PDB file of all heavy atoms in Angstrom:
ATOM      1  N   ALA A   1     127.641  92.773 114.934  1.00 96.00           N
ATOM      2  CA  ALA A   1     127.314  91.435 114.218  1.00 96.00           C
ATOM      3  C   ALA A   1     128.549  90.982 113.542  1.00 96.00           C
ATOM      4  O   ALA A   1     128.902  89.769 113.722  1.00 96.00           O
ATOM      5  CB  ALA A   1     126.201  91.699 113.288  1.00 96.00           C
ATOM      6  N   TYR A   2     129.217  91.744 112.739  1.00 96.00           N
ATOM      7  CA  TYR A   2     130.374  91.326 111.935  1.00 96.00           C
ATOM      8  C   TYR A   2     131.530  90.922 112.813  1.00 96.00           C
ATOM      9  O   TYR A   2     132.300  90.024 112.600  1.00 96.00           O
ATOM     10  CB  TYR A   2     130.656  92.301 110.885  1.00 96.00           C
ATOM     11  CG  TYR A   2     129.757  92.084 109.577  1.00 96.00           C
ATOM     12  CD1 TYR A   2     128.721  92.925 109.346  1.00 96.00           C
ATOM     13  CD2 TYR A   2     130.167  91.207 108.558  1.00 96.00           C
ATOM     14  CE1 TYR A   2     127.923  92.788 108.285  1.00 96.00           C
ATOM     15  CE2 TYR A   2     129.394  90.979 107.517  1.00 96.00           C
ATOM     16  CZ  TYR A   2     128.249  91.827 107.329  1.00 96.00           C
ATOM     17  OH  TYR A   2     127.488  91.741 106.098  1.00 96.00           O
ATOM     18  N   LEU A   3     131.841  91.791 113.736  1.00 95.00           N
ATOM     19  CA  LEU A   3     133.073  91.606 114.532  1.00 95.00           C
ATOM     20  C   LEU A   3     132.915  90.394 115.384  1.00 95.00           C
ATOM     21  O   LEU A   3     133.819  89.600 115.514  1.00 95.00           O
ATOM     22  CB  LEU A   3     133.237  92.909 115.435  1.00 95.00           C
ATOM     23  CG  LEU A   3     134.536  92.892 116.261  1.00 95.00           C
ATOM     24  CD1 LEU A   3     135.787  92.570 115.470  1.00 95.00           C
ATOM     25  CD2 LEU A   3     134.761  94.193 116.990  1.00 95.00           C
ATOM     26  N   SER A   4     131.715  90.347 116.083  1.00 96.00           N
ATOM     27  CA  SER A   4     131.565  89.168 116.971  1.00 96.00           C
ATOM     28  C   SER A   4     131.570  87.819 116.155  1.00 96.00           C
ATOM     29  O   SER A   4     132.134  86.801 116.595  1.00 96.00           O
ATOM     30  CB  SER A   4     130.205  89.258 117.768  1.00 96.00           C
ATOM     31  OG  SER A   4     129.156  89.207 116.858  1.00 96.00           O
ATOM     32  N   SER A   5     130.986  87.927 115.023  1.00 95.00           N
ATOM     33  CA  SER A   5     130.986  86.681 114.040  1.00 95.00           C
ATOM     34  C   SER A   5     132.408  86.213 113.672  1.00 95.00           C
ATOM     35  O   SER A   5     132.841  85.146 113.608  1.00 95.00           O
ATOM     36  CB  SER A   5     130.153  86.945 112.919  1.00 95.00           C
ATOM     37  OG  SER A   5     128.815  87.159 113.191  1.00 95.00           O
ATOM     38  N   TYR A   6     133.218  87.326 113.296  1.00 95.00           N
ATOM     39  CA  TYR A   6     134.665  87.037 113.028  1.00 95.00           C
ATOM     40  C   TYR A   6     135.382  86.466 114.146  1.00 95.00           C
ATOM     41  O   TYR A   6     136.172  85.431 113.935  1.00 95.00           O
ATOM     42  CB  TYR A   6     135.262  88.337 112.493  1.00 95.00           C
ATOM     43  CG  TYR A   6     136.682  88.201 112.071  1.00 95.00           C
ATOM     44  CD1 TYR A   6     137.079  87.718 110.764  1.00 95.00           C
ATOM     45  CD2 TYR A   6     137.761  88.455 112.934  1.00 95.00           C
ATOM     46  CE1 TYR A   6     138.311  87.542 110.375  1.00 95.00           C
ATOM     47  CE2 TYR A   6     139.040  88.271 112.534  1.00 95.00           C
ATOM     48  CZ  TYR A   6     139.402  87.813 111.308  1.00 95.00           C
ATOM     49  OH  TYR A   6     140.697  87.653 110.884  1.00 95.00           O
ATOM     50  N   LEU A   7     135.198  87.025 115.277  1.00 95.00           N
ATOM     51  CA  LEU A   7     135.941  86.500 116.486  1.00 95.00           C
ATOM     52  C   LEU A   7     135.555  85.032 116.744  1.00 95.00           C
ATOM     53  O   LEU A   7     136.314  84.276 117.188  1.00 95.00           O
ATOM     54  CB  LEU A   7     135.630  87.467 117.692  1.00 95.00           C
ATOM     55  CG  LEU A   7     136.161  88.838 117.580  1.00 95.00           C
ATOM     56  CD1 LEU A   7     135.741  89.645 118.768  1.00 95.00           C
ATOM     57  CD2 LEU A   7     137.691  88.826 117.537  1.00 95.00           C
ATOM     58  N   THR A   8     134.218  84.729 116.655  1.00 95.00           N
ATOM     59  CA  THR A   8     133.892  83.342 117.015  1.00 95.00           C
ATOM     60  C   THR A   8     134.156  82.297 116.019  1.00 95.00           C
ATOM     61  O   THR A   8     134.524  81.188 116.196  1.00 95.00           O
ATOM     62  CB  THR A   8     132.311  83.341 117.348  1.00 95.00           C
ATOM     63  OG1 THR A   8     131.566  83.845 116.250  1.00 95.00           O
ATOM     64  CG2 THR A   8     132.011  84.177 118.595  1.00 95.00           C
ATOM     65  N   VAL A   9     134.025  82.760 114.701  1.00 94.00           N
ATOM     66  CA  VAL A   9     134.181  81.814 113.573  1.00 94.00           C
ATOM     67  C   VAL A   9     135.632  81.759 113.186  1.00 94.00           C
ATOM     68  O   VAL A   9     136.270  80.626 113.081  1.00 94.00           O
ATOM     69  CB  VAL A   9     133.311  82.294 112.334  1.00 94.00           C
ATOM     70  CG1 VAL A   9     133.624  81.321 111.087  1.00 94.00           C
ATOM     71  CG2 VAL A   9     131.889  82.154 112.668  1.00 94.00           C
ATOM     72  N   GLU A  10     136.301  82.797 113.023  1.00 91.00           N
ATOM     73  CA  GLU A  10     137.667  82.742 112.551  1.00 91.00           C
ATOM     74  C   GLU A  10     138.747  82.624 113.676  1.00 91.00           C
ATOM     75  O   GLU A  10     139.789  81.941 113.355  1.00 91.00           O
ATOM     76  CB  GLU A  10     138.038  84.032 111.717  1.00 91.00           C
ATOM     77  CG  GLU A  10     137.132  84.250 110.543  1.00 91.00           C
ATOM     78  CD  GLU A  10     137.270  83.268 109.431  1.00 91.00           C
ATOM     79  OE1 GLU A  10     138.361  82.615 109.373  1.00 91.00           O
ATOM     80  OE2 GLU A  10     136.408  83.036 108.658  1.00 91.00           O
ATOM     81  N   LEU A  11     138.452  83.128 114.859  1.00 93.00           N
ATOM     82  CA  LEU A  11     139.434  83.064 115.798  1.00 93.00           C
ATOM     83  C   LEU A  11     139.113  82.073 116.923  1.00 93.00           C
ATOM     84  O   LEU A  11     139.891  81.812 117.926  1.00 93.00           O
ATOM     85  CB  LEU A  11     139.667  84.516 116.461  1.00 93.00           C
ATOM     86  CG  LEU A  11     140.178  85.539 115.460  1.00 93.00           C
ATOM     87  CD1 LEU A  11     140.452  86.846 116.161  1.00 93.00           C
ATOM     88  CD2 LEU A  11     141.405  85.179 114.786  1.00 93.00           C
ATOM     89  N   GLY A  12     137.904  81.539 116.899  1.00 91.00           N
ATOM     90  CA  GLY A  12     137.476  80.582 117.880  1.00 91.00           C
ATOM     91  C   GLY A  12     137.204  81.066 119.324  1.00 91.00           C
ATOM     92  O   GLY A  12     137.146  80.354 120.214  1.00 91.00           O
ATOM     93  N   MET A  13     136.919  82.376 119.316  1.00 94.00           N
ATOM     94  CA  MET A  13     136.675  83.015 120.666  1.00 94.00           C
ATOM     95  C   MET A  13     135.239  82.679 121.105  1.00 94.00           C
ATOM     96  O   MET A  13     134.308  82.597 120.411  1.00 94.00           O
ATOM     97  CB  MET A  13     136.856  84.541 120.530  1.00 94.00           C
ATOM     98  CG  MET A  13     136.589  85.210 121.840  1.00 94.00           C
ATOM     99  SD  MET A  13     136.723  87.052 121.747  1.00 94.00           S
ATOM    100  CE  MET A  13     138.458  87.197 121.425  1.00 94.00           C
ATOM    101  N   PRO A  14     135.028  82.331 122.431  1.00 95.00           N
ATOM    102  CA  PRO A  14     133.693  82.173 122.879  1.00 95.00           C
ATOM    103  C   PRO A  14     132.813  83.369 122.677  1.00 95.00           C
ATOM    104  O   PRO A  14     133.269  84.501 122.649  1.00 95.00           O
ATOM    105  CB  PRO A  14     133.889  81.885 124.444  1.00 95.00           C
ATOM    106  CG  PRO A  14     135.312  81.428 124.596  1.00 95.00           C
ATOM    107  CD  PRO A  14     136.089  82.163 123.480  1.00 95.00           C
ATOM    108  N   LEU A  15     131.440  83.121 122.552  1.00 95.00           N
ATOM    109  CA  LEU A  15     130.547  84.251 122.253  1.00 95.00           C
ATOM    110  C   LEU A  15     130.536  85.396 123.240  1.00 95.00           C
ATOM    111  O   LEU A  15     130.588  86.546 122.832  1.00 95.00           O
ATOM    112  CB  LEU A  15     129.169  83.669 121.968  1.00 95.00           C
ATOM    113  CG  LEU A  15     128.119  84.734 121.615  1.00 95.00           C
ATOM    114  CD1 LEU A  15     128.590  85.490 120.325  1.00 95.00           C
ATOM    115  CD2 LEU A  15     126.805  84.089 121.306  1.00 95.00           C
ATOM    116  N   THR A  16     130.449  85.057 124.575  1.00 96.00           N
ATOM    117  CA  THR A  16     130.314  86.097 125.532  1.00 96.00           C
ATOM    118  C   THR A  16     131.521  87.127 125.503  1.00 96.00           C
ATOM    119  O   THR A  16     131.290  88.348 125.361  1.00 96.00           O
ATOM    120  CB  THR A  16     130.115  85.492 126.928  1.00 96.00           C
ATOM    121  OG1 THR A  16     128.938  84.755 127.041  1.00 96.00           O
ATOM    122  CG2 THR A  16     130.031  86.628 127.944  1.00 96.00           C
ATOM    123  N   PRO A  17     132.731  86.682 125.497  1.00 96.00           N
ATOM    124  CA  PRO A  17     133.851  87.670 125.330  1.00 96.00           C
ATOM    125  C   PRO A  17     133.807  88.370 124.055  1.00 96.00           C
ATOM    126  O   PRO A  17     134.220  89.571 123.879  1.00 96.00           O
ATOM    127  CB  PRO A  17     135.090  86.862 125.665  1.00 96.00           C
ATOM    128  CG  PRO A  17     134.751  85.456 125.425  1.00 96.00           C
ATOM    129  CD  PRO A  17     133.325  85.315 125.865  1.00 96.00           C
ATOM    130  N   ALA A  18     133.430  87.662 122.995  1.00 96.00           N
ATOM    131  CA  ALA A  18     133.342  88.168 121.658  1.00 96.00           C
ATOM    132  C   ALA A  18     132.347  89.417 121.646  1.00 96.00           C
ATOM    133  O   ALA A  18     132.548  90.444 121.057  1.00 96.00           O
ATOM    134  CB  ALA A  18     132.995  87.193 120.660  1.00 96.00           C
ATOM    135  N   LEU A  19     131.272  89.186 122.262  1.00 97.00           N
ATOM    136  CA  LEU A  19     130.240  90.316 122.358  1.00 97.00           C
ATOM    137  C   LEU A  19     130.752  91.509 123.214  1.00 97.00           C
ATOM    138  O   LEU A  19     130.505  92.588 122.788  1.00 97.00           O
ATOM    139  CB  LEU A  19     128.981  89.711 123.060  1.00 97.00           C
ATOM    140  CG  LEU A  19     128.103  88.846 122.283  1.00 97.00           C
ATOM    141  CD1 LEU A  19     126.885  88.299 123.069  1.00 97.00           C
ATOM    142  CD2 LEU A  19     127.481  89.471 121.031  1.00 97.00           C
ATOM    143  N   ILE A  20     131.513  91.208 124.243  1.00 97.00           N
ATOM    144  CA  ILE A  20     132.124  92.305 125.082  1.00 97.00           C
ATOM    145  C   ILE A  20     133.101  93.148 124.155  1.00 97.00           C
ATOM    146  O   ILE A  20     132.995  94.376 124.184  1.00 97.00           O
ATOM    147  CB  ILE A  20     132.716  91.718 126.341  1.00 97.00           C
ATOM    148  CG1 ILE A  20     131.587  91.108 127.222  1.00 97.00           C
ATOM    149  CG2 ILE A  20     133.439  92.775 127.065  1.00 97.00           C
ATOM    150  CD1 ILE A  20     132.145  90.368 128.392  1.00 97.00           C
ATOM    151  N   VAL A  21     133.965  92.439 123.475  1.00 97.00           N
ATOM    152  CA  VAL A  21     134.978  93.084 122.669  1.00 97.00           C
ATOM    153  C   VAL A  21     134.192  93.867 121.586  1.00 97.00           C
ATOM    154  O   VAL A  21     134.569  95.023 121.278  1.00 97.00           O
ATOM    155  CB  VAL A  21     135.843  92.070 122.000  1.00 97.00           C
ATOM    156  CG1 VAL A  21     136.820  92.681 120.905  1.00 97.00           C
ATOM    157  CG2 VAL A  21     136.725  91.313 123.053  1.00 97.00           C
ATOM    158  N   SER A  22     133.163  93.335 120.997  1.00 96.00           N
ATOM    159  CA  SER A  22     132.488  94.022 119.917  1.00 96.00           C
ATOM    160  C   SER A  22     131.777  95.250 120.502  1.00 96.00           C
ATOM    161  O   SER A  22     131.709  96.273 119.792  1.00 96.00           O
ATOM    162  CB  SER A  22     131.418  93.082 119.345  1.00 96.00           C
ATOM    163  OG  SER A  22     131.995  91.988 118.810  1.00 96.00           O
ATOM    164  N   ALA A  23     131.192  95.156 121.696  1.00 96.00           N
ATOM    165  CA  ALA A  23     130.519  96.280 122.366  1.00 96.00           C
ATOM    166  C   ALA A  23     131.533  97.451 122.645  1.00 96.00           C
ATOM    167  O   ALA A  23     131.312  98.548 122.404  1.00 96.00           O
ATOM    168  CB  ALA A  23     129.866  95.876 123.656  1.00 96.00           C
ATOM    169  N   ILE A  24     132.761  97.047 123.082  1.00 97.00           N
ATOM    170  CA  ILE A  24     133.743  97.969 123.411  1.00 97.00           C
ATOM    171  C   ILE A  24     134.212  98.743 122.085  1.00 97.00           C
ATOM    172  O   ILE A  24     134.343 100.029 121.981  1.00 97.00           O
ATOM    173  CB  ILE A  24     135.020  97.461 123.966  1.00 97.00           C
ATOM    174  CG1 ILE A  24     134.619  96.975 125.458  1.00 97.00           C
ATOM    175  CG2 ILE A  24     136.208  98.314 124.214  1.00 97.00           C
ATOM    176  CD1 ILE A  24     135.660  96.147 126.101  1.00 97.00           C
ATOM    177  N   ALA A  25     134.462  97.930 120.961  1.00 96.00           N
ATOM    178  CA  ALA A  25     134.909  98.509 119.777  1.00 96.00           C
ATOM    179  C   ALA A  25     133.792  99.486 119.176  1.00 96.00           C
ATOM    180  O   ALA A  25     134.133 100.679 118.732  1.00 96.00           O
ATOM    181  CB  ALA A  25     135.139  97.447 118.736  1.00 96.00           C
ATOM    182  N   ALA A  26     132.453  99.097 119.273  1.00 95.00           N
ATOM    183  CA  ALA A  26     131.399  99.886 118.734  1.00 95.00           C
ATOM    184  C   ALA A  26     131.281 101.085 119.628  1.00 95.00           C
ATOM    185  O   ALA A  26     130.903 102.227 119.145  1.00 95.00           O
ATOM    186  CB  ALA A  26     130.187  99.145 118.678  1.00 95.00           C
ATOM    187  N   GLY A  27     131.545 100.900 120.978  1.00 95.00           N
ATOM    188  CA  GLY A  27     131.388 102.067 121.799  1.00 95.00           C
ATOM    189  C   GLY A  27     132.428 103.126 121.529  1.00 95.00           C
ATOM    190  O   GLY A  27     132.102 104.368 121.519  1.00 95.00           O
TER     191      GLY A  27
END
């Protein structure tokens, strides 16, 4: 939740790649 939100709000990343990055980090 926090990582994907930071990526989309602060870095302007689209949500789908932000979710993938967050999933990899959490994994």
Side-chain angles (χ1 to χ4, degrees):
Y2 276 99
L3 182 53
S4 65
S5 297
Y6 180 83
L7 292 174
T8 57
V9 175
E10 300 295 337
L11 302 183
M13 182 182 291
L15 178 55
T16 299
L19 289 176
I20 295 173
V21 171
S22 302
I24 293 172

